[in-house]
Amino acid sequence: MASSVPKRVRASSAPRPGQSTVALAVVCTLLGLPLVSACGPSTGSANGPVVSAAQSGAADPATAGSGGTTTQGGATDPAAIGSASGGGASDGGTSWVLGAPQVAAGYPQGRPPADMVQRFNTDTRQNAARLGVSGTPVHAYYDDRADGAWIFYTGVTGSGFDPDRLHDILYQLPAVNDDGAGDRTTTSAIDAKPGPHGGRAICNTVLVRTDMLTTAVSTCSWFTPTTAAGITLVSKADGTSTKLGFTAVDVAPIMRAIRAEVEIPRQ
């Protein structure tokens, strides 16, 4: 497996204007899938209630199933992703509900391009059907101005959810697709710490390496008996993005921070 693992995204390298658009278009073309907001003229997890890319994959194979992860610099950072068992304090049977405040974890709501939102909404419906969850939907688009990214948040409040079953639907072993022309797509999943509210969490990533660049789209999702939700980061296509893509290492902490403010105990 080691020889088939693509090189990591260099988080510190700022893309040239337009590169993010090209990279994400390549992701969609190679996979033949509507990776939510990642696809479309404007612009890639865990899925809808969970979002986008999750429907196809997750973290780099080098990190999958490790309970930790390798940062883009190569150092091991067990706290960045974590394991399901080390995810946080028990919720003590608390019944949670989801909301969408105007600001969550310091990120204000924003307005992504209409075609990006349309793609995202279409995939959200497909993913909800795949997970077999229903209830009261919620979503918001948060603006990560520091990193030049849109944070897509979507979820559903319901009842009788099985966090383990939903987690397992999104889990997959690392898979690599090489088209023989130098383009390689890696999909995988890795457990993540869900945070103090408990439940289960998982991050999915689609990693694409072409002759031009390497990019990643990741979604981190969480589940409790009453909530199912996910966070996806997508680089903006306006030249303000500081990265070509976002791995589970990037998204998991943001997922936990946003979850802490959008998920509250049922009154």
Side-chain angles (χ1 to χ4, degrees):
M1 286 298 295
S3 61
S4 64
V5 176
K7 293 182 179 178
R8 297 192 149 276
V9 179
R10 289 179 296 174
S12 61
S13 60
R16 296 189 299 273
Q19 273 193 313
S20 296
T21 304
V22 174
L24 293 173
V26 170
V27 172
C28 303
T29 300
L30 291 179
L31 296 180
L33 292 171
L35 293 180
V36 211
S37 51
C39 297
S42 293
T43 52
S45 64
N47 295 258
V50 201
V51 215
S52 73
Q55 100 178 19
S56 295
D60 187 318
T63 69
S66 64
T69 188
T70 302
T71 64
Q72 278 131 7
T76 300
D77 181 8
I81 302 299
S83 65
S85 59
S90 169
D91 63 10
T94 301
S95 178
W96 303 98
V97 296
L98 297 172
Q102 287 299 308
V103 178
Y107 302 106
Q109 287 197 28
R111 184 174 296 179
D115 59 331
M116 187 184 292
V117 171
Q118 181 180 14
R119 177 76 65 173
F120 179 84
N121 290 341
T122 297
D123 280 9
T124 293
R125 289 190 293 270
Q126 294 174 347
N127 290 325
R130 176 171 178 246
L131 289 168
V133 294
S134 62
T136 303
V138 62
H139 71 269
Y141 315 115
Y142 292 105
D143 191 350
D144 181 353
R145 295 167 182 168
D147 284 326
W150 291 112
I151 302 173
F152 285 80
Y153 154 61
T154 182
V156 61
T157 300
S159 62
F161 299 163
D162 182 342
D164 291 330
R165 184 187 71 84
L166 297 175
H167 166 279
D168 291 347
I169 289 175
L170 298 187
Y171 181 77
Q172 71 168 83
L173 294 174
V176 178
N177 176 55
D178 193 328
D179 68 357
D183 296 333
R184 176 176 293 170
T185 304
T186 304
T187 58
S188 56
I190 186 170
D191 283 332
K193 290 183 178 181
H197 294 180
R200 296 295 302 274
I202 188 169
C203 292
N204 300 86
T205 299
V206 178
L207 181 68
V208 176
R209 183 185 182 190
T210 72
D211 289 338
M212 297 183 293
L213 46 80
T214 299
T215 188
V217 178
S218 298
T219 297
C220 291
S221 306
W222 76 88
F223 308 106
T224 74
T226 59
T227 57
I231 297 291
T232 303
L233 263 67
V234 179
S235 298
K236 294 179 180 178
D238 60 3
T240 63
S241 179
T242 62
K243 301 181 181 182
L244 293 180
F246 296 91
T247 68
V249 174
D250 303 307
V251 182
I254 294 175
M255 177 271 287
R256 287 188 288 271
I258 289 180
R259 180 188 180 187
E261 298 191 18
V262 301
E263 187 177 63
I264 61 175
R266 190 188 299 275
Q267 300 299 316

